[in-house]
Amino acid sequence: MSKASRKFTKGFLSTTAIAGVAAALLATGVPAPITGAFADAVRVEAPQAPSFADVVDAVSPAVVSVRVQAEVKAVSNDSGFNFDFNGKGFDDLPDDHPMKKFFDQFNRGFSDKQGPDSDRRAERDRRGPDMKKRPGRVRPVSQGSGFFISEDGLLVTNNHVVEDGSAFTVIMDDGTELDAKLIGRDKRTDLAVLKVEEDRKFTYVDFADDSKIRVGDWVVAVGNPFGLGGTVTAGIVSARGRDIGAGPYDDFIQVDAAVNRGNSGGPTFNLNGEVIGINTAIFSPSGGNVGIAFAIPASTARAVIDDLIKDGSVERGWLGVQIQPVTADIAESLGLAAEEGALVTEPQKDAPAAKAGIVAGDVVTAVDGDTVKGPRELAKMIAAMEPGKSVEITVWRNGKSETVKVDLGSLPTDMAAVSPDEDTAPSLPQAEATLDNFGLTVVPAETGAGLVITSVAPDSVAEERGLRAGDVILAVNNKDVTNASDVVSIIDAAAKDGRKAALFQVENENRSRFVALPIEKG
């Protein structure tokens, strides 16, 4: 093929190829962009954490917000200002009260300058004194949570939520607001019962057997924190049997579910939708949740609530003793085999214990055969019994066990505190003696009963155990002492018996306690 022919053929083929591509584009359109192949999104097949949604759906209608209001007496006076004098309004003050005289004079001068005001004041006066006072009103004082325990409208909350209230409003899960009345409350366990009088059936929840609750179990807390409305948080049981110093019957369940202000009175549920406890306190330096919340156990709540529903109050058995724990040193000084029981520091005058012959220095080790581990257990045992019941109290006395029969009394509503009487403090005689083994200097009490500590040596065992000048040593090893030689004799006898500590009964500010001082450090 000639050179000219080859050139012609090459040009023809190129033209033909371009024409073919153009024809294809016209026939099929522009081809779709070409995409690369990608791997599937990451998905891990693993056991799923339990959901609380079913529990929440079931229990939420039973949990409510409790809004508490208190009645305020509003008083109007002629000047238009409102005053409150220790609960009395301006018009309640006597006519010769200096504040009333002052404001009467002020008002006369004010009204002389304000002519129309004088006419309005005269009109109010013509209407009579009753027309001067505006009707009382209520103001919000607190807001907490609660939950229904019966379909007819009984619900539970905390005493500290309702104690200052005169009007109560229950806000349902759906926003419905209903009035409630107070059935009863108990300050010692911080529980209260309200009742909604409404012709309807309420969703309610039941209490769990909290003895089966274990540390580590999942729990769900439902309430109304910060007034936000129904809020659900979850966590685990962190501890049981917590004593936080809230009262004599402390036995709280500790949970780490987020509990804040407004959650008070709300329930903590197990995964079966049963109430294991009632939220009542938090530990928080800031006032917000730090993961330490405390709930009243269901077993405690159930018994108290039954009494509140029945009688509006709770009657508890009463023994009438001041008690303290038995430490290792105290157990050693008394010859007890274990650090158990409640050491009686003082039986209250005319109380059931004193009438039955229980004395200071006795260690209560059992009630009706049930072992007493410590003061808190004793308080709970006695409180759970009916007033008037006869019980057998086992005490450790003078190195042996004895049984005393006691007819329980009724715990007074308000136990009067024993306050110190400074005017009757004994003056100190000058004949001092030293108990070098313990670092004490003592003198016989002017009353003839006990030894007054006049000084405590620095870094001594007595200072270490909290003794101080002014304390009165009433007895050592349950034997009365009137001079230093009595103490020495008792200590020598205890050492011969192999005791490693001596038990000192000490009184200060009209309160008695026991202190064990080790003998071997003398």
Side-chain angles (χ1 to χ4, degrees):
M1 182 179 294
S2 66
K3 184 175 181 181
S5 298
R6 287 196 299 272
K7 186 175 181 180
F8 171 79
T9 301
K10 182 177 180 181
F12 175 79
L13 290 176
S14 300
T15 302
T16 303
I18 293 172
V21 171
L25 289 174
L26 290 173
T28 62
V30 179
I34 298 175
T35 58
F38 293 99
D40 292 339
V42 173
R43 180 180 178 84
V44 178
E45 296 293 338
Q48 298 299 302
S51 171
F52 306 109
D54 290 342
V55 176
V56 173
D57 286 344
V59 304
S60 289
V63 182
V64 300
S65 175
V66 179
R67 187 170 66 228
V68 180
Q69 294 175 303
E71 187 171 348
V72 179
K73 187 177 182 181
V75 179
S76 174
N77 57 75
D78 293 340
S79 66
F81 296 101
N82 289 329
F83 301 93
D84 182 12
F85 301 96
N86 295 324
K88 293 184 177 181
F90 183 84
D91 289 337
D92 295 325
L93 295 176
D95 291 335
D96 60 351
H97 194 284
M99 292 300 293
K100 192 164 187 177
K101 288 182 177 180
F102 170 78
F103 281 107
D104 279 342
Q105 294 172 358
F106 174 81
N107 288 334
R108 282 196 295 270
F110 183 79
S111 60
D112 289 341
K113 297 178 181 179
Q114 308 289 330
D117 287 345
S118 178
D119 293 338
R120 286 194 293 269
R121 182 161 57 94
E123 175 62 24
R124 287 198 298 271
D125 289 343
R126 284 194 295 271
R127 294 177 183 179
D130 292 339
M131 297 299 294
K132 294 181 183 180
K133 299 180 181 181
R134 294 200 298 267
R137 65 186 189 278
V138 293
R139 62 180 176 84
V141 292
S142 66
Q143 185 159 336
S145 303
F147 58 97
F148 286 108
I149 58 170
S150 70
E151 67 176 8
D152 63 347
L154 286 170
L155 64 99
V156 176
T157 186
N158 279 148
N159 172 70
H160 76 259
V161 172
V162 303
E163 63 180 343
D164 294 326
S166 59
F168 311 97
T169 303
V170 170
I171 305 171
M172 305 285 289
D173 184 52
D174 60 3
T176 303
E177 296 189 6
L178 303 171
D179 291 335
K181 67 177 182 179
L182 181 65
I183 299 298
R185 59 190 184 91
D186 180 53
K187 186 174 183 178
R188 287 184 172 89
T189 54
D190 196 20
L191 290 170
V193 176
L194 300 175
K195 178 73 161 61
V196 175
E197 299 290 354
E198 190 80 9
D199 187 18
R200 59 180 287 185
K201 292 183 178 181
F202 295 93
T203 301
Y204 67 97
V205 291
D206 199 2
F207 288 103
D209 180 359
D210 62 72
S211 66
K212 297 179 181 179
I213 297 297
R214 299 185 303 165
V215 174
D217 282 349
W218 283 106
V219 292
V220 178
V222 184
N224 181 36
F226 303 110
L228 296 172
T231 301
V232 179
T233 55
I236 62 170
V237 174
S238 303
R240 300 198 55 183
R242 287 298 199 211
D243 182 354
I244 62 173
Y249 312 119
D250 281 15
D251 186 23
F252 292 105
I253 297 172
Q254 180 182 325
V255 299
D256 71 347
V259 173
N260 289 287
R261 288 180 298 166
N263 275 106
S264 290
T268 293
F269 295 99
N270 60 20
L271 296 189
N272 294 324
E274 299 169 319
V275 178
I276 69 161
I278 301 170
N279 301 320
T280 191
I282 62 173
F283 175 81
S284 173
S286 63
N289 169 64
V290 295
I292 300 178
F294 303 99
I296 303 167
S299 55
T300 300
R302 185 187 290 110
V304 172
I305 289 166
D306 288 345
D307 284 345
L308 292 178
I309 294 173
K310 181 180 178 182
D311 302 317
S313 60
V314 180
E315 284 197 350
R316 295 182 171 89
W318 180 48
L319 190 59
V321 290
Q322 294 179 9
I323 51 181
Q324 72 179 63
V326 176
T327 64
D329 288 336
I330 290 175
E332 170 62 33
S333 68
L334 294 174
L336 282 168
E339 303 170 35
E340 292 186 348
L343 177 59
V344 177
T345 60
E346 183 181 354
Q348 297 174 17
K349 186 178 180 181
D350 297 327
K355 292 178 180 178
I358 292 178
V359 298
D362 286 347
V363 178
V364 179
T365 58
V367 176
D368 281 343
D370 294 329
T371 301
V372 174
K373 293 183 178 180
R376 186 172 59 177
E377 286 73 21
L378 177 60
K380 290 178 62 179
M381 285 180 179
I382 297 299
M385 297 178 176
E386 293 290 333
K389 180 180 179 180
S390 182
V391 297
E392 290 187 347
I393 304 293
T394 304
V395 299
W396 182 262
R397 178 187 296 170
N398 297 327
K400 60 181 181 180
S401 184
E402 298 182 17
T403 300
V404 179
K405 193 172 183 178
V406 180
D407 294 329
L408 297 179
S410 180
L411 181 66
T413 303
D414 293 308
M415 299 293 294
V418 179
S419 54
D421 186 353
E422 297 178 358
D423 294 335
T424 60
S427 59
L428 305 181
Q430 297 302 312
E432 295 184 332
T434 59
L435 297 171
D436 293 331
N437 289 352
F438 304 108
L440 295 173
T441 302
V442 297
V443 296
E446 193 174 61
T447 60
L451 298 169
V452 178
I453 299 175
T454 58
S455 67
V456 181
D459 300 323
S460 65
V461 64
E463 184 186 57
E464 178 186 326
R465 299 300 166 89
L467 296 182
R468 65 181 189 270
D471 287 350
V472 180
I473 302 172
L474 300 176
V476 178
N477 286 352
N478 293 326
K479 296 180 180 179
D480 294 340
V481 294
T482 57
N483 54 61
S485 61
D486 290 342
V487 178
V488 174
S489 297
I490 295 170
I491 296 298
D492 288 344
K496 289 179 181 179
D497 291 339
R499 300 283 179 86
K500 296 181 180 179
L503 190 66
F504 284 64
Q505 183 181 1
V506 181
E507 185 179 63
N508 184 281
E509 296 180 344
N510 291 338
R511 296 189 67 84
S512 180
R513 72 185 192 279
F514 285 90
V515 178
L517 299 181
I519 295 175
E520 68 270 19
K521 290 188 177 181

